[in-house]
Amino acid sequence: MQAPVMQAVKRNAGYFACSRRQGWRHAGFRWLSEAAFLVAALFLAFFTTDHVLAERPQLSPVVRNVPLVFPRDFGAHPGFRNEWWYVTGWLETPEKEPLGFQITFFRVATEHDRANPSRFAPRDLIIAHAALSDPAAGKLLHDQKSARDGFGLAYTTEGNTNVKLDDWFMVREENGRYQTRIKADHFRLDFSLTPAQSPMLQDLDGFSRKGPQPEQASYYYSEPHLQVSGKITRDGKEIAVKGTAWLDHEWSTAYLDPKAVGWDWVGANLDDGSALMAFQIRGKDGSKVWAYAGIRKPSGQFTRFEPDQVSFEPQRTWHSTRTNTTYPVKIRIQTGTTVWVLTPLMDDQELDSRQSTGAVYWEGAVTVTRDGEPAGRGYLELTGYVEPLSL
């Protein structure tokens, strides 16, 4: 079994995937690491033969000038290698205590022949992450699941958002509202998320560049300012919550630039009704491989920033004793002439997903200032700061 596993890992190393991507996008775009593809390879080794492995699927590239069409594009895109629905947000308890949360579902195409009619054919892997940031706990509470699709236990559907993994799910209703339920080991999330704005098409009308080569791209839209209502359950106690969230949906088949090692990403709901998304992809030497930012005003006016107009500068770091990793948890971002500063709700928002994707990354709730004035709240993701797992 070792040879097929290692070959599958090497074939897939560097593909866009989750997320958030060495880990996920886990910068508005999240990629799977070699270790994550090892999970996929293990499934392949158990459920396929060498002959089937030779029948590699023909997957679609991401190209410009393909318009996103809704509601169709709210659903899954099985013709592409990687896809994720990524929700992050801020909550408030009746006592006005702030909480952050993350719910993510990933679909990853395997190397299996997609024409195989067998119900046992593992065409996709479904992976999910969930996390709760609670300053009272002092560290991130998180959980993860993964399974191959099939038998009604794990799936994504085309035509509208409908994702399920065991007893975790997220579904979009015809009125646009999302329902999601997560039964994690140490907490439970039951939310309704109601859109307040139309989808925000990132970059060039949803064609989102991720590197210097034009094929390094994804299809990418966001739904900012989702209005959240529902409850969380901890230690058997239900707590009513409300808040605001951000949803990213991306799909891609492309390669990550070989110079890239990780990325920094933020999606922020601003107090004036605007929405900010910015990311940079970092090289192995810490240099900027690619960067982008987009800001949409409540009127719908959209401003995009090219790589040379976007910069990220660490302001303060936090060191994880669990993984011996240092993250720049407070960051200064400049988009054009505007300066944004991101400050974490709490420092320890590190998520260890080595049981599902092989990735360790920092993703957490942050407050946002614009030119020194309070401007909103969002989520910051930091990947590529942990040394890749050796195989």
Side-chain angles (χ1 to χ4, degrees), residues 88-292:
T88 55
W90 279 69
L91 304 171
E92 185 178 84
T93 70
E95 290 74 30
K96 306 299 181 182
E97 297 170 337
L99 303 169
F101 78 93
Q102 172 202 346
I103 298 172
T104 312
F105 289 91
F106 306 98
R107 180 197 62 79
V108 183
T110 71
E111 292 293 292
H112 195 280
D113 180 8
R114 303 185 77 80
N116 189 324
S118 172
R119 295 181 65 200
F120 291 91
R123 297 176 183 86
D124 292 309
L125 297 179
I126 310 300
I127 303 170
H129 293 173
L132 186 65
S133 296
D134 182 358
K139 66 177 182 178
L140 198 70
L141 305 176
H142 61 88
D143 201 356
Q144 57 195 308
K145 287 178 178 282
S146 59
R148 68 181 183 92
D149 70 328
F151 303 98
L153 301 176
Y155 59 77
T156 63
T157 63
E158 298 179 65
N160 208 345
T161 304
N162 186 4
V163 190
K164 184 177 187 296
L165 178 50
D166 194 16
D167 54 359
W168 296 15
F169 72 83
M170 184 168 68
V171 60
R172 182 180 177 275
E173 300 173 338
E174 290 188 5
N175 62 7
R177 181 176 56 195
Y178 294 88
Q179 303 288 350
T180 185
R181 182 173 66 224
I182 304 294
K183 296 180 179 179
D185 282 346
H186 301 294
F187 60 93
R188 173 170 168 161
L189 309 177
D190 292 271
F191 297 153
S192 293
L193 304 100
T194 303
Q197 299 179 357
S198 61
M200 177 180 175
L201 306 185
Q202 297 295 352
D203 209 348
L204 301 168
D205 294 324
F207 175 81
S208 176
R209 292 280 301 273
K210 296 303 192 300
Q213 302 303 316
E215 66 271 17
Q216 297 167 345
S218 69
Y219 294 120
Y220 180 11
Y221 71 85
S222 306
E223 290 192 77
H225 291 283
L226 290 168
Q227 301 304 298
V228 184
S229 62
K231 61 186 178 183
I232 65 171
T233 303
R234 288 179 298 177
D235 301 322
K237 180 181 178 182
E238 291 186 356
I239 304 172
V241 292
K242 61 182 180 180
T244 306
W246 178 292
L247 183 149
D248 274 350
H249 183 192
E250 277 190 271
W251 56 101
S252 176
T253 300
Y255 289 98
L256 175 63
D257 189 279
K259 297 189 296 293
V261 69
W263 53 89
D264 309 319
W265 169 92
V266 64
N269 292 312
L270 304 181
D271 297 337
D272 64 1
S274 300
L276 163 71
M277 192 279 282
F279 70 80
Q280 74 164 353
I281 301 175
R282 303 184 320 279
K284 296 178 177 65
D285 60 357
S287 62
K288 178 171 61 178
V289 174
W290 195 255
Y292 164 81

